[in-house]
Amino acid sequence: MSRCAYCKKEGASKKTAVHFWIQNRQKIKELDYCSEACKQKIHKFAVLQKTNANRFTGFVLLWMIAALIIPLALKTITGNPIFFPVGALAMLGILGLIITIYPLGLSTNTKLVEKIGIKYMAFYFRITGILLVVSAFVMIKDRI
Ligand SMILES: [Zn+2]
C-alpha cells in the first residue's frame, strides 16, 4: 500500500511527477498522493526545494560568516566582550526563527521527505526551530 508523500496516509493511489533537485541535478520523482490538497502541497514543496537546493550551500556559508563577523563587529565597536557570545547566540536564535517560520525553506533532504512525509518534516523542523530560539534566548538571558 503506498502512502501519501505529504501526509503519509495510506491508500494514496494517485501519482504525480515532481522535479527535485538532488545532488546538483534535477531529477523527476513520482510521488504518491491521497488528495488534491496534498498534491498541491507536494508541488509547492518541490518548487521550494528546487529554488533553495542551489542556494543551500551558499546560505550555510554566508550564515557561518555572518554569525562570526556580526558578533565580532559588535564586540569591537562597543568594546564590550559580552557582545560576542550574545551576538553569536542571537544569530542562532534568528536561524531558529527562520526555520520555525519557513520549516521547509531549507530542506534539501529528499530522502527524509520520502521517509517521513513533507507534513511531518515541516513539523519536525518547526520543533527544532522553536528549540533553537528558546535555547538561544535562555543562554542569552543567563549571560546578561
Ligand atoms: Zn495526503
Side-chain angles (χ1 to χ4, degrees):
M1 193 78 112
S2 40
R3 285 167 178 268
C4 172
Y6 181 76
C7 67
K8 283 285 156 188
K9 230 186 264 165
E10 275 184 29
S13 51
K14 289 159 273 189
K15 273 186 188 299
T16 182
V18 290
H19 292 266
F20 271 145
W21 198 262
I22 302 160
Q23 282 157 354
N24 294 323
R25 286 177 63 194
Q26 187 169 301
K27 285 186 183 154
I28 295 170
K29 270 203 166 284
E30 291 246 307
L31 295 175
D32 304 311
Y33 69 98
C34 67
S35 66
E36 207 48 43
C38 282
K39 184 189 174 188
Q40 274 173 23
K41 281 169 182 155
I42 290 168
H43 279 274
K44 227 172 112 187
F45 170 73
V47 171
L48 211 76
Q49 198 268 349
K50 217 166 82 181
T51 358
N52 289 318
N54 310 341
R55 299 196 203 128
F56 187 68
T57 320
F59 177 83
V60 170
L61 219 69
L62 257 175
W63 186 265
M64 276 156 63
I65 294 167
L68 202 71
I69 287 178
I70 292 173
L72 257 179
L74 276 173
K75 185 187 157 199
T76 315
I77 293 164
T78 58
N80 189 340
I82 191 77
F83 277 102
F84 187 67
V86 169
L89 287 169
M91 291 298 286
L92 196 71
I94 293 167
L95 181 66
L97 204 65
I98 294 172
I99 297 172
T100 310
I101 299 168
Y102 303 106
L104 295 173
L106 290 175
S107 79
T108 56
N109 192 337
T110 47
K111 279 219 175 68
L112 196 66
V113 170
E114 284 170 60
K115 214 170 175 182
I116 65 174
I118 299 166
K119 188 180 171 187
Y120 293 104
M121 196 168 73
F123 178 72
Y124 168 77
F125 278 156
R126 213 156 245 164
I127 296 286
T128 311
I130 291 168
L131 281 177
L132 268 178
V133 174
V134 171
S135 47
F137 181 76
V138 168
M139 285 190 279
I140 289 172
K141 227 181 104 225
D142 280 351
R143 276 164 211 273
I144 49 178

